[in-house]
Amino acid sequence: MANKSALLITYPIRHVASEAKSLAESAGYSISYTVTQKHLTRSKFGIGKGKADEVRELVKSLKIEFVIFDEILKPTQQYHLAKLCKIDIIDREKLILEIFRLRSNTEESKTQIKLAELHYEAVRIKEKVRLAKRGEQPGFFGLGKYDADVHLLDIKRRISILRKKVLKEEKRKLVQRTGRARSGFPTVSLIGYTSVGKTTLFNFLTGESKLVGIELFTTLSTSSRVVNVDGNKMMFSDTVGFISKLPAYMIDAFRSTLQELVFSNVILLILDISQSYEILRKQLSSSFTVMIHLGVSVAKIIYVFNKVDLVRPDEAMEKYQQLGILNEGNKNYVMISSKTGMNVDVLLDVIKSRVFVNMMKVDRN
Ligand SMILES: Nc1nc2c(ncn2[C@@H]2O[C@H](COP(=O)(O)OP(=O)(O)OP(=O)(O)O)[C@@H](O)[C@H]2O)c(=O)[nH]1
Ligand SMILES: [Mg+2]
């Protein structure tokens, strides 16, 4: 894939800027220039007018093809900035959608992503209609020239067809899950921020060889395998990673994939302990946001600090303590390396005891 030259507008915070760059690269852009700003949510352009003019000049002189804006922009802001710079503005929402689209390789994930894309488009067409009524002529820069109302109706129709498809898949999975529940296998789901090592751990536990990678969002669809752990059969599920500022409708589009979590007996919330405290906090809060949105019980969590092979033990402990995770009597965290297998046996012991406790709780309810 030929890389598209882009100018990145992001926050002046190292880990935030570096994540934005990884996202952009994962979507096939190469960043030719980076502009950092403390505020990216100003009313008209996201950034201030002076900065926006500066960006316009940079775009012209450096022959930039796209501007990547590391915030979720309102359609009006996106429109104003696109009009000023005369090129497409890819905001964080669009960037994530583009990566999802590139990575989707199953029928189900393709449908889910199409649904999210149509939602994104519908919001922008509505804005186009609104701008047109105000006498503006928003008929360019991706907004389309044809009759917006007709287009909007068509999108709504397609959304409703895809929703039905997703719903059908949800039902199919529910039947599958009920069957599984009857067969009595406890289920253990692996969740966490993108790139923390979920699939690497899944592969280690199940002997699978699912794709892992440093790029963001390597996994987009769920894989489940039954594993015999010391005579106890358990079902492990790997799933799509999370990221900060993931709009709720995108979580909803992945609902059938993520619903597995609601029914799991144990949730392994995986964090990358080799990252800074700020990033760990972000990984934790993004995972909580998704879990709360889906209605997953936080009580089922075992915190798994992965990539411990990359840090000194005292450093790892210090970060864990800084996070202030409540540990009410039961050990609810394990430090492991999915790459070397270090402590995975300890993790399995913790899982076994937790599965038993959690299943007892379910039985009593
Ligand atoms: N050093 C080290 N690297 C690891 C470990 N676990 C995973 N990695 C690396 O981290 C990167 C991401 O691993 P994945 O397993 O693809 O992560 P993921 O959480 O499944 O990521 P997504 O599917 O993109 O959300 C890969 O380059 C892995 O080799 C570990 O314990 N130690
Ligand atoms: Mg993965």
Side-chain angles (χ1 to χ4, degrees):
M1 181 174 39
N3 280 352
K4 305 162 273 186
S5 107
L7 179 145
L8 170 67
I9 304 176
T10 181
Y11 290 99
I13 305 167
R14 200 151 49 108
H15 71 89
V16 174
S18 110
E19 180 179 274
K21 191 163 174 278
S22 301
L23 271 177
E25 286 167 355
S26 298
Y29 295 94
S30 87
I31 304 298
S32 324
Y33 200 91
T34 302
V35 171
T36 59
Q37 280 290 279
K38 242 171 142 174
H39 302 285
L40 298 185
T41 50
R42 298 229 184 269
S43 60
K44 188 163 182 184
F45 302 103
I47 45 178
K49 173 75 168 88
K51 211 56 187 181
D53 284 333
E54 211 179 300
V55 168
R56 183 195 56 201
E57 289 312 310
L58 283 165
V59 162
K60 218 159 67 184
S61 61
L62 300 174
K63 296 193 170 49
I64 303 276
E65 294 171 273
F66 297 90
V67 166
I68 294 178
F69 200 99
D70 188 24
E71 230 339 310
I72 296 179
L73 283 173
K74 291 198 184 97
T76 16
Q77 294 168 321
Q78 197 174 14
Y79 165 70
H80 285 305
L81 197 57
K83 197 171 168 187
L84 184 75
C85 297
K86 298 193 167 53
I87 56 171
D88 273 344
I89 310 296
I90 316 291
D91 73 340
R92 190 173 169 96
E93 204 172 330
K94 179 88 167 47
L95 199 55
I96 295 172
L97 283 174
E98 287 188 6
I99 300 170
F100 280 0
R101 166 182 273 248
L102 282 173
R103 298 266 195 277
S104 64
N105 54 5
T106 61
E107 175 75 17
E108 187 188 7
S109 61
K110 283 193 174 120
T111 310
Q112 291 166 331
I113 286 139
K114 191 73 223 163
L115 187 59
E117 279 176 345
L118 286 174
H119 179 100
Y120 183 89
E121 212 181 314
V123 172
R124 271 141 195 88
I125 298 207
K126 275 184 203 152
E127 184 58 19
K128 179 187 169 180
V129 173
R130 204 183 65 84
L131 286 169
K133 277 186 190 147
R134 276 184 15 194
E136 301 220 24
Q137 291 165 339
F140 44 89
F141 303 128
L143 287 168
K145 282 199 196 68
Y146 39 91
D147 187 357
D149 282 328
V150 175
H151 193 188
L152 191 58
L153 270 178
D154 179 50
I155 287 185
K156 281 185 178 159
R157 187 185 54 82
R158 286 161 67 201
I159 286 180
S160 124
I161 294 171
L162 288 178
R163 278 228 176 96
K164 276 186 199 137
K165 224 170 144 180
V166 168
L167 212 67
K168 210 168 137 192
E169 182 58 24
E170 256 178 53
K171 279 196 187 133
R172 195 187 65 80
K173 287 216 162 127
L174 191 70
V175 173
Q176 203 180 45
R177 241 180 331 251
T178 316
R180 220 183 282 145
R182 238 184 269 123
S183 71
F185 294 158
T187 55
V188 181
S189 287
L190 283 66
I191 71 156
Y193 212 74
T194 179
S195 256
V196 293
K198 298 177 295 299
T199 306
T200 309
L201 177 60
F202 177 80
N203 285 344
F204 192 92
L205 292 168
T206 61
E208 276 289 333
S209 46
K210 296 279 172 196
L211 192 65
V212 304
I214 47 165
E215 303 82 15
L216 307 182
F217 299 113
T218 305
T219 310
L220 281 189
S221 42
T222 311
S223 298
S224 299
R225 290 289 172 276
V226 175
V227 178
N228 192 329
V229 183
D230 302 335
N232 306 297
K233 279 191 175 164
M234 292 183 200
M235 168 95 123
F236 287 92
S237 295
D238 176 26
T239 188
V240 57
F242 310 142
I243 197 154
S244 60
K245 296 181 200 148
L246 195 63
Y249 76 89
M250 282 200 208
I251 305 175
D252 284 335
F254 279 92
R255 193 177 273 275
S256 59
T257 301
L258 291 171
Q259 229 165 20
E260 190 74 35
L261 305 178
V262 182
F263 298 93
S264 297
N265 299 100
V266 170
I267 305 268
L268 302 183
L269 197 163
I270 310 189
L271 299 149
D272 177 353
I273 194 82
S274 72
Q275 300 288 351
S276 66
Y277 169 70
E278 288 73 23
I279 298 183
L280 279 164
R281 272 245 73 89
K282 184 169 74 175
Q283 290 180 353
L284 197 59
S285 65
S286 305
S287 304
F288 274 130
T289 303
V290 177
M291 287 180 67
I292 291 165
H293 185 82
L294 292 168
V296 181
S297 159
V298 180
K300 292 179 187 169
I301 296 178
I302 297 174
Y303 297 91
V304 179
F305 293 91
N306 190 33
K307 307 197 190 179
V308 79
D309 57 303
L310 297 176
V311 282
R312 289 194 325 268
D314 57 324
E315 208 184 305
M317 236 11 239
E318 201 178 304
K319 282 183 191 165
Y320 164 72
Q321 278 159 358
Q322 257 184 315
L323 284 172
I325 287 168
L326 284 179
N327 196 353
E328 295 160 342
N330 296 322
K331 187 173 163 79
N332 66 346
Y333 77 95
V334 187
M335 304 234 181
I336 66 159
S337 167
S338 303
K339 206 165 196 166
T340 67
M342 179 184 164
N343 271 353
V344 175
D345 52 343
V346 179
L347 173 63
L348 283 170
D349 282 341
V350 177
I351 294 173
K352 268 191 296 183
S353 56
R354 278 296 282 280
V355 159
F356 186 63
V357 172
N358 290 357
M359 282 178 91
M360 293 286 283
K361 273 190 206 153
V362 173
D363 283 348
R364 253 185 270 136
N365 288 342

